Short mmCIF file of all heavy atoms in Angstrom, two decimals:
data_model
loop_
_atom_site.label_atom_id
_atom_site.label_comp_id
_atom_site.label_asym_id
_atom_site.label_seq_id
_atom_site.Cartn_x
_atom_site.Cartn_y
_atom_site.Cartn_z
N ASP G 95 63.53 32.70 -28.02
CA ASP G 95 64.01 33.77 -27.16
C ASP G 95 65.53 33.78 -27.12
O ASP G 95 66.18 32.72 -27.14
CB ASP G 95 63.48 33.60 -25.73
CG ASP G 95 62.02 34.02 -25.62
OD1 ASP G 95 61.48 34.55 -26.60
OD2 ASP G 95 61.44 33.83 -24.53
N VAL G 96 66.09 34.97 -27.02
CA VAL G 96 67.54 35.11 -26.96
C VAL G 96 67.92 36.04 -25.81
O VAL G 96 67.11 36.84 -25.34
CB VAL G 96 68.12 35.67 -28.28
CG1 VAL G 96 67.96 34.66 -29.41
CG2 VAL G 96 67.47 37.01 -28.64
N VAL G 97 69.16 35.90 -25.38
CA VAL G 97 69.77 36.82 -24.41
C VAL G 97 71.10 37.27 -24.97
O VAL G 97 71.64 36.66 -25.91
CB VAL G 97 69.96 36.15 -23.03
CG1 VAL G 97 68.62 35.85 -22.38
CG2 VAL G 97 70.82 34.89 -23.15
N GLY G 98 71.65 38.33 -24.41
CA GLY G 98 72.92 38.84 -24.89
C GLY G 98 74.07 38.44 -23.99
O GLY G 98 74.06 38.71 -22.79
N VAL G 99 75.06 37.75 -24.56
CA VAL G 99 76.32 37.50 -23.86
C VAL G 99 77.37 38.41 -24.49
O VAL G 99 77.26 38.78 -25.67
CB VAL G 99 76.75 36.02 -23.95
CG1 VAL G 99 75.75 35.13 -23.24
CG2 VAL G 99 76.94 35.57 -25.40
N TYR G 108 75.61 33.09 -34.60
CA TYR G 108 74.64 33.84 -33.81
C TYR G 108 74.54 35.28 -34.32
O TYR G 108 75.50 35.85 -34.85
CB TYR G 108 75.05 33.86 -32.33
CG TYR G 108 74.91 32.54 -31.62
CD1 TYR G 108 76.03 31.87 -31.14
CD2 TYR G 108 73.66 31.96 -31.42
CE1 TYR G 108 75.92 30.66 -30.48
CE2 TYR G 108 73.54 30.75 -30.76
CZ TYR G 108 74.66 30.10 -30.30
OH TYR G 108 74.54 28.89 -29.64
N LYS G 109 73.37 35.87 -34.13
CA LYS G 109 73.17 37.27 -34.47
C LYS G 109 73.89 38.15 -33.46
O LYS G 109 74.16 37.75 -32.33
CB LYS G 109 71.68 37.62 -34.50
CG LYS G 109 70.85 36.78 -35.46
CD LYS G 109 71.25 37.02 -36.91
CE LYS G 109 70.31 36.28 -37.86
NZ LYS G 109 70.70 36.47 -39.29
N CYS G 144 76.52 38.93 -28.38
CA CYS G 144 76.03 37.85 -29.23
C CYS G 144 74.68 37.43 -28.67
O CYS G 144 74.53 37.27 -27.45
CB CYS G 144 76.98 36.65 -29.22
SG CYS G 144 78.64 36.98 -29.84
N LEU G 145 73.69 37.25 -29.54
CA LEU G 145 72.34 36.87 -29.10
C LEU G 145 72.23 35.35 -29.15
O LEU G 145 72.14 34.75 -30.23
CB LEU G 145 71.29 37.54 -29.99
CG LEU G 145 71.30 39.08 -29.96
CD1 LEU G 145 70.25 39.64 -30.92
CD2 LEU G 145 71.06 39.60 -28.54
N THR G 146 72.22 34.73 -27.98
CA THR G 146 72.26 33.27 -27.87
C THR G 146 70.99 32.75 -27.20
O THR G 146 70.16 33.51 -26.71
CB THR G 146 73.50 32.83 -27.08
OG1 THR G 146 73.45 33.42 -25.77
CG2 THR G 146 74.78 33.29 -27.78
N GLU G 147 70.85 31.42 -27.14
CA GLU G 147 69.63 30.79 -26.65
C GLU G 147 69.33 31.17 -25.20
O GLU G 147 70.18 31.04 -24.32
CB GLU G 147 69.73 29.27 -26.75
CG GLU G 147 70.01 28.76 -28.15
CD GLU G 147 71.50 28.61 -28.46
OE1 GLU G 147 72.33 29.03 -27.60
OE2 GLU G 147 71.83 28.10 -29.54
N ALA G 148 68.08 31.60 -24.96
CA ALA G 148 67.69 32.02 -23.61
C ALA G 148 67.40 30.84 -22.69
O ALA G 148 67.33 31.01 -21.47
CB ALA G 148 66.46 32.93 -23.68
N ASN G 149 67.21 29.64 -23.26
CA ASN G 149 66.88 28.49 -22.42
C ASN G 149 68.12 27.67 -22.06
O ASN G 149 68.02 26.54 -21.61
CB ASN G 149 65.85 27.59 -23.11
CG ASN G 149 66.30 27.10 -24.47
OD1 ASN G 149 67.42 27.40 -24.91
ND2 ASN G 149 65.45 26.35 -25.15
N ARG G 150 69.30 28.26 -22.22
CA ARG G 150 70.54 27.62 -21.79
C ARG G 150 70.99 28.24 -20.47
O ARG G 150 70.62 29.35 -20.12
CB ARG G 150 71.63 27.83 -22.85
CG ARG G 150 71.26 27.31 -24.23
CD ARG G 150 71.43 25.83 -24.37
NE ARG G 150 72.84 25.44 -24.37
CZ ARG G 150 73.26 24.19 -24.54
NH1 ARG G 150 72.37 23.21 -24.70
NH2 ARG G 150 74.54 23.91 -24.54
N TYR G 152 73.49 30.01 -18.12
CA TYR G 152 74.67 30.88 -18.16
C TYR G 152 75.08 31.20 -16.72
O TYR G 152 74.27 31.74 -15.95
CB TYR G 152 74.36 32.17 -18.92
CG TYR G 152 73.94 31.93 -20.35
CD1 TYR G 152 72.60 31.79 -20.69
CD2 TYR G 152 74.89 31.80 -21.35
CE1 TYR G 152 72.21 31.54 -22.00
CE2 TYR G 152 74.52 31.56 -22.67
CZ TYR G 152 73.18 31.42 -22.98
OH TYR G 152 72.80 31.16 -24.28
N VAL G 156 73.39 37.90 -17.94
CA VAL G 156 73.25 38.07 -19.39
C VAL G 156 72.25 39.19 -19.65
O VAL G 156 71.34 39.44 -18.86
CB VAL G 156 72.80 36.76 -20.08
CG1 VAL G 156 73.89 35.71 -19.98
CG2 VAL G 156 71.50 36.24 -19.48
N PRO G 234 76.11 28.79 -24.57
CA PRO G 234 75.50 28.66 -25.90
C PRO G 234 75.71 27.27 -26.48
O PRO G 234 76.70 26.60 -26.18
CB PRO G 234 76.26 29.72 -26.73
CG PRO G 234 76.83 30.67 -25.73
CD PRO G 234 77.13 29.85 -24.51
N LYS G 235 74.75 26.83 -27.32
CA LYS G 235 74.89 25.52 -27.96
C LYS G 235 76.13 25.47 -28.84
O LYS G 235 76.85 24.47 -28.87
CB LYS G 235 73.64 25.21 -28.79
CG LYS G 235 72.43 24.81 -27.98
CD LYS G 235 71.28 24.42 -28.90
CE LYS G 235 70.07 23.97 -28.09
NZ LYS G 235 68.93 23.59 -28.97
N ILE G 238 81.43 29.18 -28.68
CA ILE G 238 82.00 30.50 -28.92
C ILE G 238 82.62 31.00 -27.62
O ILE G 238 82.28 30.54 -26.52
CB ILE G 238 80.95 31.52 -29.40
CG1 ILE G 238 79.86 31.72 -28.32
CG2 ILE G 238 80.35 31.11 -30.73
CD1 ILE G 238 78.92 32.88 -28.61
#
Side-chain angles (χ1 to χ4, degrees):
D95 283 354
V96 292
V97 293
V99 296
Y108 290 115
K109 302 295 186 182
C144 298
L145 299 178
T146 59
E147 302 91 354
N149 58 1
R150 303 280 290 183
Y152 300 92
V156 293
K235 284 185 178 180
I238 62 170

